[in-house]
Amino acid sequence: MRVRQSRQCMVLYRIAVFISPGMMTAETCHAWEREGCKLIVHDDYPPIVDIIDHCAAGALLDIKLRASYLFDLSEMMTLKRVPHVFVVTDEAPGSHYSLNGTPEGIRSILDELLFQDDCGQRH
């Protein structure tokens, strides 16, 4: 009798994702898991003070969030030195950071997130 071994991906990074309601798909979460990332999805505009300290490796911010929320969230993350990257939900012309992109695109976003130099410039 052969024992079938399942291939499990080790999750290395927990990343908070702040995204417009209804935009996160299971396929996107699985693609990020294959690249070693567990996405902690916030699609309900949670109070900023309640979530800032739970962004383990950093955060991805959907540029289509309400402008005032996106601004306040980004400002608070900058003040708390939480690395974050602005993303789009789908690949768009001229966009380098698509949440639903290819494995190479995911790794590119992850590199930007993990290797920010804290000069205040966000991608």
Side-chain angles (χ1 to χ4, degrees):
M1 179 157 126
R2 293 175 69 182
V3 176
R4 188 176 182 188
Q5 293 182 340
S6 64
R7 213 177 96 181
Q8 294 182 348
C9 198
M10 178 188 269
V11 175
L12 300 175
Y13 303 106
R14 292 174 41 92
I15 301 171
V17 178
F18 297 88
I19 190 167
S20 299
M23 296 304 294
M24 182 57 73
T25 65
E27 292 82 17
T28 298
C29 288
H30 293 310
W32 280 81
E33 285 177 9
R34 285 190 296 274
E35 298 304 318
C37 302
K38 171 80 172 152
L39 299 181
I40 311 304
V41 179
H42 301 280
D43 63 357
D44 56 354
Y45 293 96
I48 294 170
V49 294
D50 292 347
I51 47 83
I52 279 298
D53 295 328
H54 301 291
C55 302
L60 305 177
L61 311 181
D62 177 4
I63 63 167
K64 292 185 179 178
L65 289 171
R66 280 190 323 244
S68 61
Y69 185 81
L70 181 61
F71 179 80
D72 292 344
L73 183 59
S74 175
E75 285 294 305
M76 181 62 76
M77 289 192 174
T78 299
L79 287 172
K80 298 272 189 170
R81 296 182 183 247
V82 175
H84 54 286
V85 173
F86 297 96
V87 297
V88 295
T89 51
D90 291 310
E91 294 207 32
S95 172
H96 298 275
Y97 305 113
S98 174
L99 188 63
N100 300 329
T102 63
E104 294 80 19
I106 291 171
R107 286 189 293 270
S108 177
I109 293 171
L110 189 57
D111 284 347
E112 291 295 342
L113 185 68
L114 297 176
F115 300 107
Q116 288 184 8
D117 62 6
D118 282 344
C119 67
Q121 180 179 0
R122 297 297 175 228
H123 306 277

